[in-house]
Amino acid sequence: MAAQTLYAELARQLNSIGALRRGLLRALPADCPSGPAATLSLLHRHGEMRMSRLCELLAVDMSVTSRHVAHAVDGGWVERAPDPGDRRSRLLRLTPAGTAKLGELHERSAVLLSRQLAEWSDGEIGDLIGMLDRLRCSFTAEPREPRDPREPQERTGPPAAEERPRRAGLPEAVPPPAPV
């Protein structure tokens, strides 16, 4: 088990990711700030849904979600349609213009990252992707009790790089792509 000082340093480094995230958000076009951008991304990833589900996924209250959706609807990126299961409810769905806008947002992020990480090797970027994916998986798994360092460690989370099948053209550490 890592020493508490390592966990404290990891916590400090993770806090600094907020600055990196804000830099990525500044690259978003003025017509699509972070809230509507997150709305587009979630609708693309999860498909059509009710406002209440989007509210849960965004982890914000209904009034904030409503503003994000209204902005996306005004931009022509999201449409509201009657829910066939309950005509009083509406389903939110991505429009073709919303899919195109999401593509633009991803391209802007990729360009910024390619500029900022120009000195990094493909292997280093692949390693970072793998480690971030593993970290994310650790936080979405069931909470575990700290293990006794004298006991053998059970393998959890995504397979180690040497256990994953090699995919042509990608560094060994890159996990399979997640749906966008």
Side-chain angles (χ1 to χ4, degrees), residues 9-27:
E9 179 58 25
L10 176 59
R12 281 191 287 281
Q13 292 298 324
L14 289 174
N15 284 335
S16 70
I17 287 178
L20 301 174
R21 187 172 186 282
R22 286 187 295 279
L24 283 170
L25 294 176
R26 282 192 292 276

Side-chain angles (χ1 to χ4, degrees), residues 18-136:
L20 301 174
R21 187 172 186 282
R22 286 187 295 279
L24 283 170
L25 294 176
R26 282 192 292 276
L28 293 175
D31 69 334
C32 190
S34 62
T39 298
L40 299 181
S41 182
L42 288 169
L43 287 171
H44 183 264
R45 181 176 299 135
H46 297 281
E48 67 182 21
M49 66 183 75
R50 290 182 177 180
M51 181 82 81
S52 58
R53 175 70 177 137
L54 181 60
C55 191
E56 290 170 15
L57 292 171
L58 287 170
V60 295
D61 66 41
M62 186 61 78
S63 65
V64 174
T65 303
S66 294
R67 283 195 304 275
H68 296 333
V69 168
H71 188 109
V73 168
D74 290 346
W77 308 318
V78 170
E79 65 184 4
R80 296 179 181 111
D83 183 342
D86 181 355
R87 290 277 182 200
R88 297 168 298 169
S89 295
R90 298 274 182 230
L91 291 175
L92 304 171
R93 68 175 61 115
L94 206 54
T95 65
T99 301
K101 177 56 83 172
L102 191 57
E104 176 192 340
L105 300 177
H106 287 164
E107 179 63 26
R108 284 174 171 258
S109 295
V111 166
L112 175 63
L113 287 168
S114 70
R115 260 191 252 128
Q116 297 302 112
L117 304 179
E119 302 293 319
W120 291 43
S121 71
D122 288 350
E124 289 171 321
I125 294 169
D127 288 346
L128 177 61
I129 291 167
M131 295 297 281
L132 289 172
D133 184 59
R134 185 173 176 194
L135 177 65
R136 183 189 50 77

